[in-house]
Amino acid sequence: MKLQRIVICMVTMMGLLFSTGQSLRFELESGHTKCIAEDIKSNSMTVGHYSIVNPNEGQPLPESHRITLKVTSAFGNSYHSSENVQSGQFSFQAVEAGDYMACFYAVDHQPRLKIPIEFDWRSGVAAKDWSTVAKKGSVDAMEYELKKLADTITLIHDEMFYLREREKEMQELNKVTNSRMAWLSILSLFICLSVAGMQIWHLKSFFEKKKLI
């Protein structure tokens, strides 16, 4: 029973980890830019495939249906750039952790066009082509699953340390924020008391000049 629970837990975590990626279809209007973000850890592999969906099947894509794609890190470093293409792909190992941006741009055209785009972006274990691994290694089904499970466990381990580091950063940020808020409250109280004292002094001086007190 305990072993069964462990297996179920591992399968659930594998499902969550293998979903680290997104495959979607969207429309891009000519003359506009659309950006998609993906949170990627450092030293993780990421792979992306993109292509324009042909609105007229069986016919070549119109020359007006071309896009430009730029992939940048959270710090603005460029990892991929392609201009005036109808399809393409990119793959790289992330050096920096954070939100990576894939920005699509369609050249301005009159009349306005809406270009349908398919985009598949995966990172971590989901980015690895396991079918190719199985063919190259000539491994059987059990070894294939074990290799996949080993990579998943490694990813879980790295994810736990990554979340722990993020938690430490958030705790430090909370401490700094609370400290600053405390000093701000003390400063605000000091200013209020100073203004009140000055008002009392001014009123006292005014009444003394008028010989009312």
Side-chain angles (χ1 to χ4, degrees):
M1 183 63 69
K2 185 178 292 187
L3 179 60
Q4 185 177 4
R5 289 179 181 177
I6 294 173
V7 172
I8 293 173
C9 182
M10 290 299 299
V11 170
T12 304
M13 297 184 75
M14 285 179 64
L16 291 173
L17 289 169
F18 277 113
S19 63
T20 306
Q22 47 187 331
S23 180
L24 54 105
R25 178 182 289 195
F26 59 92
E27 289 187 340
L28 179 63
E29 189 174 352
S30 57
H32 289 70
T33 301
K34 181 170 289 189
C35 295
I36 298 169
E38 173 80 357
D39 185 18
I40 304 175
K41 301 193 304 296
S42 60
N43 299 322
S44 291
M45 189 67 186
T46 183
V47 177
H49 301 269
Y50 55 94
S51 61
I52 297 175
V53 180
N54 195 341
N56 303 312
E57 294 185 5
Q59 298 182 8
L61 275 169
E63 281 298 317
S64 57
H65 283 53
R66 290 187 177 273
I67 56 175
T68 295
L69 172 65
K70 291 185 178 180
V71 181
T72 56
S73 69
F75 298 94
N77 296 321
S78 178
Y79 282 81
H80 176 76
S81 179
S82 58
E83 297 182 357
N84 297 325
V85 297
Q86 295 180 333
S87 64
Q89 62 182 14
F90 60 85
S91 62
F92 58 86
Q93 188 170 7
V95 178
E96 306 151 299
D99 287 333
Y100 283 68
M101 301 292 292
C103 292
F104 293 86
Y105 170 74
V107 179
D108 197 8
H109 187 274
Q110 295 297 334
R112 295 280 187 182
L113 296 173
K114 287 190 176 181
I115 302 175
I117 299 172
E118 278 191 352
F119 184 39
D120 185 26
W121 194 1
R122 303 181 183 278
S123 59
V125 177
K128 182 173 285 188
D129 188 355
W130 286 102
S131 61
T132 304
V133 173
K135 290 178 183 177
K136 288 183 177 180
S138 300
V139 295
D140 57 17
M142 181 62 71
E143 188 176 353
Y144 167 72
E145 292 297 331
L146 288 174
K147 282 180 177 289
K148 190 187 295 186
L149 184 60
D151 270 20
T152 303
I153 293 172
T154 303
L155 183 61
I156 293 171
H157 183 266
D158 294 342
E159 184 74 20
M160 290 175 66
F161 277 97
Y162 173 72
L163 292 175
R164 188 177 298 174
E165 291 298 323
R166 290 294 296 270
E167 184 181 2
K168 288 182 180 178
E169 292 175 4
M170 293 302 296
Q171 288 176 351
E172 290 296 326
L173 181 61
N174 288 335
K175 289 180 181 178
V176 173
T177 303
N178 292 335
S179 177
R180 289 177 179 175
M181 288 301 296
W183 281 108
L184 181 61
S185 299
I186 294 172
L187 180 62
S188 301
L189 180 60
F190 175 76
I191 293 173
C192 290
L193 292 175
S194 300
V195 171
M198 290 179 64
Q199 288 177 341
I200 293 171
W201 176 81
H202 176 73
L203 290 172
K204 184 179 180 181
S205 301
F206 175 75
F207 288 134
E208 285 177 349
K209 287 181 180 179
K210 296 294 182 178
K211 296 182 179 180
L212 297 174
I213 58 172

